[in-house]
Amino acid sequence: MAEPSGPRELRTGDPETLKALAHPVRVDILSLLDKHGEKTASQLAELLDQTVANCSFHLRTLEKYGYVERAEQRGREKPWRAAHESRNLSPDPSDPQSIVASSRVAVLYVQNEMQRLMQDLQRGALDPNQPEWVSATTVNNSDFWATAEEMTDLVERVIALVEPFRGRGADPTLRPAGARRGRLFAAVNPDPDSEPHDPDAVTDAHPAEEDAP
């Protein structure tokens, strides 16, 4: 099962816990709770165009594996909330089942984020009436060669980029004036079609010499 690694933080590579999240509706539910804070099964069903019974089923599964929890009851409403402010679902490198399960969850998150990003851009994330925010938006991809150690270091530095903003989601008093919700989606991965570089296998290659005039 998942274990909290700090105040409202989750870190797990447990295959069963990861498999419990590997469903598109569950990823959508967790994303909505992350964004809105608290929602009832009925509210989630309306947002996701699902039945209340289906959302309730997925919420109970997410609760069983520690992803969500009951929020304080409001009258007759029984809302749910995410059990953690942040989650690290990196696999255990020594456990093949953990790697497979984490990959399945990652695929769903990529699909979810790509859809969200396209919708945001179509809805005016780049707004000509707010030019100060235009430079705060980017879609970028890079191709580079790196060792496993260098790529791991890059992953850690990307994760550290948002550390200064941690806690602002739960505590509005930490947000400076003018702050807006931002989204960072980053992916770093080795190209599965590339082989590790072997310097000894590289033959000397020289450009053909031209005859002197």
Side-chain angles (χ1 to χ4, degrees), residues 171-194:
D171 186 356
T173 65
L174 298 177
R175 306 171 197 170
R180 296 174 63 180
R181 180 190 298 274
R183 298 295 296 258
L184 171 65
F185 170 66
V188 178
N189 65 279
D191 184 342
D193 292 328
S194 70

Side-chain angles (χ1 to χ4, degrees), residues 1-3 10 12-23 26 61-67 89-92 95-102 104-105:
M1 293 292 292
E3 293 292 338
L10 172 69
T12 183
D14 174 63
E16 293 304 313
T17 303
L18 294 172
K19 289 177 184 176
L21 185 57
H23 189 288
R26 293 172 196 167
T61 301
L62 290 170
E63 180 186 32
K64 176 181 177 181
Y65 287 90
Y67 290 108
L89 306 179
S90 300
D92 178 352
D95 186 344
Q97 291 187 1
S98 175
I99 295 172
V100 171
S102 181
R104 290 173 179 169
V105 173

Side-chain angles (χ1 to χ4, degrees), residues 25-63:
V25 174
R26 293 172 196 167
V27 169
D28 286 341
I29 286 175
L30 203 51
S31 295
L32 286 173
L33 293 178
D34 285 340
K35 180 177 181 178
H36 297 290
E38 298 180 3
K39 288 291 180 184
T40 64
S42 297
Q43 291 169 331
L44 291 168
E46 183 176 354
L47 289 169
L48 297 174
D49 195 23
Q50 297 284 330
T51 65
V52 176
N54 195 35
C55 282
S56 295
F57 168 75
H58 288 302
L59 282 163
R60 288 194 298 271
T61 301
L62 290 170
E63 180 186 32

Side-chain angles (χ1 to χ4, degrees), residues 126-142:
L126 290 172
D127 186 350
N129 296 315
Q130 296 180 315
E132 70 276 17
W133 288 96
V134 172
S135 60
T137 303
T138 183
V139 177
N140 183 40
N141 69 302
S142 301

Side-chain angles (χ1 to χ4, degrees), residues 102-174:
S102 181
S103 296
R104 290 173 179 169
V105 173
V107 167
L108 293 174
Y109 266 98
V110 169
Q111 292 173 339
N112 186 283
E113 282 301 300
M114 286 299 96
Q115 182 179 20
R116 190 272 310 165
L117 177 58
M118 289 188 293
Q119 291 175 344
D120 284 356
L121 292 172
Q122 291 168 347
R123 289 169 53 233
L126 290 172
D127 186 350
N129 296 315
Q130 296 180 315
E132 70 276 17
W133 288 96
V134 172
S135 60
T137 303
T138 183
V139 177
N140 183 40
N141 69 302
S142 301
D143 188 306
F144 58 93
W145 283 82
T147 65
E149 291 77 13
E150 289 172 327
M151 210 173 291
T152 299
D153 176 67
L154 176 60
V155 169
E156 293 172 351
R157 284 189 282 141
V158 169
I159 293 172
L161 289 175
V162 295
E163 194 62 35
F165 312 106
R166 191 175 298 281
R168 292 184 182 183
D171 186 356
T173 65
L174 298 177

